[in-house]
Amino acid sequence: AQAEAAIKELPTVEGAPQALLQIIGAGEQVQREVRQSAAIAFKNIAKSYWEPLMRVTKAMCVPDASKPAIREMLFQVLLVEGDKSVRDLLAEAVNQFARVDYPHNWPQLLPEIISHVQSGEPLRMHNALLALRQVTKRLEYKSKEGREPLEVIINTALPLVQQLCDSNNSLEAAMIMKLCLKILWSSTQFSLPAAATGTNVDPAALEHLSQWLELIGAIIAKPLPEAEEPNA
């Protein structure tokens, strides 16, 4: 009972969410089970105590002044996380933060994602794309009037995402490709890009869509990568 009460107080305890992220980011210095438990606790804070919701009052939530540092620390910890079970929990936290904060209170997220996607480091690239996937997943159901943040992603990030659909047949490339296609799906499943529809069609946007269709056809025709269990 005392442990449960302590966990409920974590969101408002100064530095507690950051402490959880420090445990998660400690890697092999901390037992995997402990890191998983910390990730679950952090995800629950993101889901239930980031904003007032139902029975959760403002006083029970993470203080606004602490949120920018927590968001940035979460993104940095996610970028280098190699354990899928922990990474998925961190990605869910990104999803929850994006629901509340993106883009108005988290404008630097997209530029940071693009920067790390271009880093050339496979783990950072994969995990930055995972963060982008979570953001597009949060925006995919927006009405036409609320799609502007998604249109920004389509115009700035999708061309780069398209370039990452590597033609080699390695398992790592296949995992990157899978994320890229999920991002495309979330960006276009309910509406094509504004620049490619309507009365003022941008020829470059139409060409970009055409390239995606060609790429998807080539991917469907690809042989499967080597059969092994990915750590991703």
Side-chain angles (χ1 to χ4, degrees), residues 36 39-40 43 84-94:
Q36 288 173 328
I40 291 169
K43 186 263 294 183
K84 184 180 186 302
S85 65
V86 175
R87 182 167 59 212
D88 287 349
L89 291 164
L90 295 175
E92 179 59 27
V94 170

Side-chain angles (χ1 to χ4, degrees), residues 139-155:
L139 297 172
E140 64 185 348
Y141 297 111
K142 294 288 185 182
S143 64
K144 186 176 181 180
E145 294 73 20
R147 278 180 60 89
E148 183 176 351
L150 190 56
E151 292 291 341
V152 172
I153 291 174
I154 289 170
N155 293 331

Side-chain angles (χ1 to χ4, degrees), residues 127-227:
N127 291 0
L129 286 171
L130 182 59
L132 183 59
R133 159 66 173 159
Q134 295 303 318
V135 175
T136 57
K137 198 174 178 181
R138 268 299 170 190
L139 297 172
E140 64 185 348
Y141 297 111
K142 294 288 185 182
S143 64
K144 186 176 181 180
E145 294 73 20
R147 278 180 60 89
E148 183 176 351
L150 190 56
E151 292 291 341
V152 172
I153 291 174
I154 289 170
N155 293 331
T156 59
L158 269 194
L160 175 62
V161 168
Q162 186 183 80
Q163 295 172 18
L164 294 177
C165 291
D166 202 314
S167 59
N168 79 63
N169 205 41
S170 70
L171 190 61
E172 292 76 14
M175 298 306 294
I176 292 282
M177 188 182 301
K178 179 181 177 181
L179 270 177
C180 291
L181 292 175
K182 284 186 172 183
I183 292 166
L184 174 67
W185 164 258
S186 290
S187 299
T188 59
Q189 66 159 317
F190 286 112
S191 179
L192 292 176
T197 59
T199 55
N200 298 315
V201 174
D202 182 354
L206 282 179
E207 176 62 23
H208 186 223
L209 278 180
S210 176
Q211 291 171 356
W212 268 115
L213 291 174
E214 292 178 7
L215 181 59
I216 290 169
I219 291 171
I220 291 173
K222 279 173 65 69
L224 292 175
E226 61 268 22

Side-chain angles (χ1 to χ4, degrees), residues 93-108:
V94 170
N95 184 296
Q96 295 298 327
F97 288 178
R99 176 179 60 84
V100 179
D101 295 337
Y102 186 83
H104 302 297
N105 294 326
W106 206 358
Q108 73 276 24

